């Protein structure tokens, strides 16, 4: 599996670092794209071994799972650009949605805690992380392939008087279910707040002009830059159009 990030900011960097640190994905299986090559996170991604490109289309073509790690107002432009390159094999995750990303972050937290437990019981850190990652991966694959209810799968692996049911008892005693439900609720509420703020945020006229001019140049390769800059951004009239 390969993963791509359209956008190479803090969110893309944090997720890429989490994927690689947990042993879920090798850095060379990750690609990130951004027109801004001077971002500090771009340097961090490169040092991590992540592939970097300024072409969003290249990111789409080299990825199976695609994260749209850009601000909500930019997403329509991105979808218009890469939409024709999206295939049935692609899984597209919008980071503006929040819930999916929050779930991934909670999985990382759970994995980190599992690894800590393994270290406490004498396992080397690297081995503990990999065992925890494989446990989460195996559980996810079992759920997706069997299509059984998660509760049924849980019952299937809990032997009477066994270690699993004892561990489950500890989780339930600590309010594990309630904590996860509350975490999802908190994430959704905050996502709605951030979405509202994003809806109020205005994109600078310069950014809009650059996006539209780039589109004009792509659709009309023969059009010179000088001519393109004279095209009205708000009407369909060309520079040669005369007023009545």
């Amino acid at each position: 599996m390969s993963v791509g990030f359209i956008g190479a900011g803090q969110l893309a960097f944090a997720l890429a670092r989490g994927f690689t640190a947990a042993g879920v994905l090798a850095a060379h299986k990750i690609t990130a794209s951004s027109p801004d090559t001077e971002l500090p996170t771009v340097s961090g991604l490169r040092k991590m071994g992540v592939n970097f490109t300024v072409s969003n289309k290249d990111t789409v073509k080299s990825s199976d799972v695609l994260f749209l790690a850009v601000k909500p107002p930019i997403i329509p432009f991105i979808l218009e650009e890469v939409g024709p390159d999206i295939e049935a094999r692609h899984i597209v995750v919008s980071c503006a949605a929040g819930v999916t990303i929050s779930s991934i972050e909670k999985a990382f937290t759970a994995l980190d805690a599992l690894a800590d437990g393994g270290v406490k019981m004498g396992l080397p850190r690297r081995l503990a992380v990999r065992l925890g990652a494989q446990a989460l991966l195996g559980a996810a694959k079992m759920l997706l392939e069997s299509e059984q209810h998660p509760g049924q799968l849980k019952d299937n692996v809990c032997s009477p008087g066994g270690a699993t049911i004892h561990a489950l008892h500890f989780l339930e005693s600590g309010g594990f279910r309630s904590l996860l439900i509350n975490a999802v609720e908190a994430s959704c509420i905050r996502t709605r707040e951030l979405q509202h703020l994003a809806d109020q945020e205005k994109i600078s006229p310069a950014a809009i002009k650059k996006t539209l001019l780039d589109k004009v140049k792509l659709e009309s390769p023969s059009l010179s830059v000088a001519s393109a800059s004279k095209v009205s951004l708000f009407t369909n009239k060309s520079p040669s159009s005369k007023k009545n």
Side-chain angles (χ1 to χ4, degrees), residues 48-222:
M48 197 187 304
V50 170
N51 302 301
F52 179 78
T53 175
V54 295
S55 171
N56 293 331
K57 287 180 173 291
D58 286 348
T59 297
V60 173
K61 291 174 183 176
S62 63
S63 305
D64 299 312
V65 180
L66 185 67
F67 289 89
L68 305 183
V70 296
K71 291 185 177 181
I74 304 297
I75 288 180
F77 294 106
I78 297 296
L79 292 177
E80 184 177 358
E81 176 190 2
V82 304
D85 300 299
I86 300 295
E87 302 174 2
R89 67 182 177 85
H90 285 110
I91 298 175
V92 181
V93 181
S94 171
C95 297
V99 177
T100 301
I101 300 302
S102 176
S103 299
I104 293 173
E105 291 170 347
K106 285 192 279 291
F108 286 150
T109 301
L111 176 55
D112 190 38
L114 287 172
D116 285 344
V119 172
K120 180 180 180 181
M121 301 311 295
L123 291 177
R125 167 68 60 178
R126 182 176 178 80
L127 177 58
V129 169
R130 292 192 66 83
L131 287 174
Q134 288 295 333
L136 292 180
L137 179 61
K141 288 183 67 176
M142 185 183 298
L143 177 61
L144 293 173
E145 292 173 1
S146 70
E147 297 186 358
Q148 293 185 23
H149 190 278
Q152 181 61 54
L153 292 175
K154 179 261 297 178
D155 289 345
N156 292 346
V157 298
C158 286
S159 303
T164 303
I165 191 63
H166 275 68
L168 183 62
H169 179 216
F170 270 83
L171 289 175
E172 295 292 358
S173 298
F176 183 68
R177 287 175 185 266
S178 295
L179 285 174
L180 287 181
I181 293 171
N182 290 340
V184 171
E185 181 182 22
S187 175
C188 287
I189 292 173
R190 183 54 180 161
T191 298
R192 290 168 186 162
E193 293 172 350
L194 293 174
Q195 182 66 58
H196 177 72
L197 292 174
D199 290 342
Q200 306 303 314
E201 181 181 353
K202 294 182 178 179
I203 305 177
S204 69
I208 295 177
K209 181 177 180 181
K210 182 180 184 303
T211 301
L212 293 177
L213 288 178
D214 288 344
K215 182 180 178 183
V216 168
K217 285 184 282 185
L218 285 173
E219 293 179 350
S220 306
S222 60

